[in-house]
């Protein structure tokens, strides 16, 4: 499978509805309001009649067992809007998750990357509607994760899940600001795992994404993907498509949490490497280590993780830690999901003979 094409302009500037509303939206809103008012009158009459018919002392209807309402009510206070003013007067609007009571917030790096040009200006809007100034604590373009800090205490942090336990078919909830519509909540299932999704404009940067059919659009970027227990299992990424087509992607919690913790501690982050250059023109199944030097660099770095594990130029890696690898992009994505120092079981072919080895991952600073 080929990696999903990148969106080199993600996220696009999204005007916030309360500041700028298109004529179409105004007309649509008037029509919807009129219809809603008529329907509301009928509903209100039905409710009154139902209450008259209800026996005295009987309980009100309970929340359906399959409703996600209680979970959404619990998680919304931990989700924020991220607003980045642009030099042309527009705004980038994304989302974020509160990850500590004392004001640390996690979002995508690409949501706040333009703070490098606007003097570091970024605001965070809390669930209460209060908008406060934020400071960028650190950014990792390789992981597409950034951490912001606001001067507030007693905030409700998200609960961390475990992305390693996620399975295809699991139900999920996405929260964010698609097209500037704050606190939009969608739900769906996990459609696939370990999808190699291209991060930003970096041609060699991929992550093994969680794919979901929950609607994720520009403005959802940086917001949380929750499981149905209200635990964060991923960070939504809206750069892969201009509009939702049943394909949404999220950076797995394991990568996002590790990067966020590093950024809080040092302002910088690292990622795992194996010390090889691959042949991106290879059409067979797997990730082939280049046969010869690439850009003056040897295919297998001397003394690097792959070298120590016995891999050589021309070997084809087919599986890492139990995850099938079908291309160079998938190899990069799977390795980036791991942590430096992790020991992974690696399967590779040499002259068509499969071999299994253990490899201790190396470490490299993020871009």
């Amino acid at each position: 499978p080929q990696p999903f094409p990148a969106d080199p302009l993600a996220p696009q500037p999204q005007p916030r509805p309360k500041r700028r509303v298109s004529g179409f939206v105004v007309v649509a809103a008037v029509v919807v309001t009129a219809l809603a008012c008529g329907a509301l009158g009928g509903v209100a009459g039905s409710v009154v009649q139902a209450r008259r018919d209800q026996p005295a002392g009987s309980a009100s209807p309970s929340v359906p067992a399959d409703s996600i309402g209680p979970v959404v009510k619990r998680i919304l206070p931990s989700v924020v809007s991220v607003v980045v003013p642009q030099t042309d007067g527009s705004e980038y609007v994304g989302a974020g998750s509160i990850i500590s009571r004392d004001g640390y917030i996690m979002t995508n790096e690409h949501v706040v990357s333009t703070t490098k040009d606007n003097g570091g200006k970024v605001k965070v809007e809390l669930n209460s509607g209060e908008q406060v100034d934020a400071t960028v604590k650190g950014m990792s373009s390789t992981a597409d994760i950034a951490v912001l800090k606001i001067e507030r205490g007693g905030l409700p942090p998200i609960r961390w899940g475990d992305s390693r336990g996620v399975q295809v078919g699991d139900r999920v909830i996405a929260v964010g600001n698609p097209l500037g519509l704050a606190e939009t909540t969608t739900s769906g299932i996990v459609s696939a795992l370990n999808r190699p999704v291209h991060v930003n404009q970096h041609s060699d940067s991929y992550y093994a994404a969680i794919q979901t059919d929950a609607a994720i659009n520009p403005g959802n970027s940086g917001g949380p993907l929750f499981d149905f227990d209200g635990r964060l299992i991923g960070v939504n990424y809206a750069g892969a498509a201009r509009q939702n087509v049943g394909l949404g992607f999220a950076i797995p919690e394991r990568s996002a949490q590790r990067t966020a913790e590093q950024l809080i501690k040092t302002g910088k982050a690292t990622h795992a490497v194996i010390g090889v250059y691959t042949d991106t023109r290879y059409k067979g199944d797997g990730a082939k280590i280049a046969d010869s030097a690439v850009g003056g660099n040897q295919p297998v770095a001397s003394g690097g993780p792959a070298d120590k594990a016995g891999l050589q130029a021309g070997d084809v890696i087919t599986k890492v830690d139990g995850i099938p690898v079908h291309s160079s992009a998938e190899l990069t994505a799977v390795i980036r999901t791991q942590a430096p120092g992790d020991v992974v079981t690696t399967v590779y072919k040499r002259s068509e003979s499969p071999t299994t080895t253990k490899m201790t991952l190396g470490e490299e600073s993020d871009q």
Side-chain angles (χ1 to χ4, degrees), residues 273-308:
V273 293
I274 63 173
V276 302
Y277 283 89
T278 58
D279 182 357
T280 56
R281 297 168 299 178
Y282 178 65
K283 300 300 182 182
D285 190 48
K288 182 182 179 181
I289 300 175
D291 292 307
S292 57
V294 177
N297 299 295
Q298 291 303 309
V300 180
S302 178
D307 184 34
K308 291 180 179 179

Side-chain angles (χ1 to χ4, degrees), residues 37 44 47 63 71 115 145 160 162 187 204 214 315 322 335 358 367:
C37 287
V47 170
V63 176
V71 179
T115 57
I145 293 293
W160 295 103
D162 186 350
S187 66
D204 65 342
D315 287 346
I335 295 300
K358 295 284 187 180
Q367 300 178 35

Side-chain angles (χ1 to χ4, degrees), residues 113-347:
S113 62
T114 56
T115 57
K116 300 172 183 177
D117 305 317
N118 75 353
K121 295 178 182 178
V122 57
K123 290 183 179 293
V124 166
E125 187 170 304
L126 303 175
N127 177 251
S128 63
E130 180 185 10
Q131 196 172 87
V132 295
D133 292 331
T135 302
V136 178
K137 185 69 177 179
M139 295 188 284
S140 168
S141 56
T142 299
D144 198 18
I145 293 293
V147 172
L148 312 178
K149 180 68 167 65
I150 62 173
E151 298 306 316
R152 286 290 186 278
L155 297 173
I158 53 94
R159 291 189 301 147
W160 295 103
D162 186 350
S163 56
R164 290 172 294 184
V166 174
Q167 299 182 40
V168 173
D170 286 352
R171 296 190 297 172
V172 291
I173 302 169
V175 184
N177 305 305
L179 309 179
L181 302 174
E183 296 184 359
T184 294
T185 302
T186 59
S187 66
I189 64 168
V190 172
S191 306
L193 298 170
N194 302 309
R195 292 295 199 201
V197 173
H198 194 234
V199 177
N200 293 338
Q201 297 94 340
H202 303 286
S203 59
D204 65 342
S205 189
Y206 294 84
Y207 64 82
I210 298 171
Q211 182 182 326
T212 176
D213 64 354
I216 295 176
N217 290 285
N220 273 110
S221 285
L225 184 70
F226 292 105
D227 63 19
F228 260 48
D229 287 326
R231 299 172 300 185
L232 185 144
I233 58 169
V235 177
N236 298 324
Y237 176 77
R242 294 290 184 182
Q243 59 185 8
N244 179 66
V245 289
L247 291 173
F249 298 96
I251 301 168
E253 160 275 332
R254 189 182 182 205
S255 300
Q257 183 177 10
R258 182 178 67 246
T259 301
E261 289 174 349
Q262 289 182 322
L263 294 175
I264 289 173
K265 291 178 181 178
T266 67
K268 298 180 180 180
T270 61
H271 61 266
V273 293
I274 63 173
V276 302
Y277 283 89
T278 58
D279 182 357
T280 56
R281 297 168 299 178
Y282 178 65
K283 300 300 182 182
D285 190 48
K288 182 182 179 181
I289 300 175
D291 292 307
S292 57
V294 177
N297 299 295
Q298 291 303 309
V300 180
S302 178
D307 184 34
K308 291 180 179 179
L311 276 75
Q312 300 176 8
D315 287 346
V316 178
I317 299 174
T318 59
K319 188 176 293 187
V320 174
D321 225 25
I323 301 173
V325 171
H326 302 290
S327 65
S328 294
E330 288 192 12
L331 175 62
T332 301
V334 171
I335 295 300
R336 293 262 167 92
T337 302
Q338 310 292 326
D342 283 353
V343 178
V344 295
T345 300
T346 305
V347 180

